[in-house]
Amino acid sequence: MDNDWLATNAPSCDSLLEEMRELWSESDALWDECRNRLEFGGFVSADYLEIYKQLLPLQGKVATFLEWGSGLGVVAIMASRLGFEAYGIEVEPLLVEHAQRLAERYGCHAEFAEGSFIPDDYQWGIEEVGNPSRTNCDARAAYDDLDMELRDFDLVYAYPWPDEHGLYLDIMKTCGGHRSLFLTYDAREGTSLRQVQDE
Ligand SMILES: C[S@@+](CC[C@H](N)C(=O)[O-])C[C@H]1O[C@@H](n2cnc3c(N)ncnc32)[C@H](O)[C@@H]1O
């Protein structure tokens, strides 16, 4: 845990941060319990404090938030508790069920849909974006279930596998909103926040 950051910022968001820390440890325990029952098996959780630090200054600046591959839904739940209209899309049904239960337990309105975050109209330029190994590229898109399109989200968050950053960026560039922000996490590089249409 980043104690310097907490010492500076915690007073303004103390109680929520405490609750979120409970959520993080509960989700770790849940993951240990269900990891062997997954069909797709590509779930790894991000550094939630790092993501929390990125979301805090965006409060009041963006409204709609989407977590791609939401897993246990922790980031979407944090976003909802921070005041965003938050959604998650996850291909593993068991993880979606757990995310919905966690959202209820932590009193938030995040909505989760089972399916793919890759829009059905995404035009694959697979040579340019690499060959995805861990992202499910066959499942049907889940945007209709949320009654939203990818371009409707002000802020999209994802944790791509190292060889899949190109694919994720390409999806955002071709199907995301003109002013959408894209927040990514990488175990080695940390977080990155950008407006992809400007690149
Ligand atoms: C690296 S984990 C990230 C979990 C969580 N978002 C986080 O940051 O802690 C990637 C997640 O994406 C899910 N996933 C893989 N392909 C997907 C797809 N096409 N659509 C939706 N979810 C997908 C996996 O099941 C897994 O839960």
Side-chain angles (χ1 to χ4, degrees):
M1 195 74 41
D2 184 339
N3 288 320
D4 288 346
W5 183 88
L6 288 177
T8 315
N9 293 275
S12 57
C13 51
D14 224 4
S15 62
L16 180 59
L17 186 57
E18 276 314 304
E19 251 191 273
M20 294 300 97
R21 285 160 117 173
E22 274 174 39
L23 168 67
W24 303 339
S25 53
E26 188 170 342
S27 73
D28 283 349
L30 200 50
W31 169 237
D32 283 340
E33 210 183 285
C34 71
R35 65 197 319 160
N36 298 323
R37 289 189 281 142
L38 297 181
E39 283 164 33
F40 195 61
F43 177 79
V44 183
S45 58
D47 180 334
Y48 295 132
L49 179 61
E50 282 305 311
I51 311 296
Y52 188 83
K53 285 195 248 176
Q54 293 288 332
L55 294 179
L56 264 184
L58 295 172
Q59 278 181 299
K61 294 187 181 141
V62 297
T64 47
F65 171 93
L66 173 65
E67 180 175 10
W68 277 356
S70 45
L72 292 164
V74 173
V75 180
I77 292 172
M78 292 196 293
S80 173
R81 290 300 308 274
L82 285 166
F84 301 93
E85 181 185 325
Y87 300 82
I89 293 179
E90 168 58 50
V91 78
E92 279 281 357
L94 180 63
L95 295 177
V96 175
E97 275 173 40
H98 282 306
Q100 285 164 337
R101 263 186 239 131
L102 278 178
E104 263 175 50
R105 264 180 57 63
Y106 284 83
C108 84
H109 303 291
E111 200 178 319
F112 295 96
E114 179 193 322
S116 181
F117 61 79
I118 304 174
D120 286 333
D121 59 355
Y122 172 61
Q123 304 284 316
W124 285 84
I126 206 73
E127 298 83 15
E128 287 157 43
V129 298
N131 207 2
S133 55
R134 307 295 284 272
T135 295
N136 184 322
C137 298
D138 303 319
R140 89 180 162 88
Y143 293 94
D144 284 354
D145 296 351
L146 297 176
D147 216 6
M148 299 285 271
E149 292 185 51
L150 178 53
R151 67 175 65 87
D152 296 331
F153 293 97
D154 302 328
L155 174 61
V156 175
Y157 161 74
Y159 178 2
W161 291 93
D163 59 340
E164 298 182 348
H165 282 270
L167 169 65
Y168 284 44
L169 200 56
D170 196 54
I171 297 170
M172 271 307 284
K173 276 188 172 163
T174 54
C175 305
H178 285 298
R179 311 193 56 172
S180 302
L181 294 172
F182 192 36
L183 174 63
T184 53
Y185 175 76
D186 181 279
R188 272 172 296 185
E189 308 291 329
T191 51
S192 148
L193 179 68
R194 64 227 283 194
Q195 196 164 18
V196 294
Q197 302 291 358
D198 285 348
E199 291 177 6

